Amino acid sequence: MSDAPVVAWDRFSSDPRSQHNAALRASDFDRSLALDALATAYADGRLDREEYDERSTGVQTSKTLGELVTPLRDLAPDPETSGALVLSSPAAVQTQAEQKYAHARRNAFSGFLVPSLICWVIWIATSIGGGGFYYPWPIWVTLGTSIRLIQVS
């Protein structure tokens, strides 16, 4: 079974799921994309032979982009109903990547700061109470936890 999405909505001349594009005439390329998606679904076992034949006939006789949606709708997740993220533009991909990077950086920074501060506070407290500053062992914790911070930066 393929890991790639069955329906590549972004490859159509215009997104057929959009109400603004539904009335636009479908090109041979658009119908070919729809047929490829049906063939992939049939090969994956998502459609039986009768369903494939019925849907293929519908795609081949379609006139508008909106008519291509019905045979394909249940082959790909719908972001409004499933909560799945369907990216439709490079700007959306860029935004998601920036958010993921910012989240990873915050996690790496807090993973560095919290253990380092705790260890240094313990070292200072025990050094003052013990009559002098001893070997600065928290440096190893600081160095160890900084590795992830450096990797993310």
Side-chain angles (χ1 to χ4, degrees):
M1 190 179 275
S2 171
D3 288 339
V6 174
V7 182
W9 296 111
D10 60 332
R11 294 193 56 216
F12 284 86
S13 58
S14 296
D15 190 343
R17 299 169 296 175
S18 169
Q19 292 297 327
H20 301 293
N21 301 331
L24 295 176
R25 299 290 286 198
S27 68
D28 288 338
F29 180 73
D30 294 325
R31 283 186 282 277
S32 174
L33 287 173
L35 289 171
D36 287 346
L38 290 174
T40 300
Y42 177 65
D44 286 346
R46 297 178 192 204
L47 299 174
D48 62 25
R49 182 62 187 191
E50 289 177 22
E51 285 179 304
Y52 173 75
D53 289 339
E54 180 182 322
R55 292 178 187 212
S56 296
T57 302
V59 166
Q60 290 169 344
T61 60
S62 65
K63 302 271 189 238
T64 65
L65 288 173
E67 293 173 6
L68 296 175
V69 175
T70 303
L72 302 175
R73 184 171 303 276
D74 63 346
L75 299 178
D78 187 7
E80 288 85 29
T81 59
S82 69
L85 179 62
V86 178
L87 300 174
S88 59
S89 69
V93 172
Q94 179 71 25
T95 301
Q96 182 189 17
E98 288 171 356
Q99 290 171 348
K100 191 172 184 177
Y101 173 74
H103 180 71
R105 186 134 188 213
R106 277 191 305 273
N107 285 345
F109 183 71
S110 61
F112 160 76
L113 189 63
V114 172
S116 295
L117 282 177
I118 290 171
C119 290
W120 282 108
V121 167
I122 292 170
W123 179 77
I124 290 169
T126 57
S127 293
I128 291 173
F133 290 99
Y134 300 105
Y135 177 75
W137 57 267
I139 192 72
W140 299 110
V141 175
T142 302
L143 289 174
T145 57
S146 67
I147 292 171
R148 180 70 180 136
L149 183 62
I150 292 168
Q151 286 176 339
V152 172
S153 294

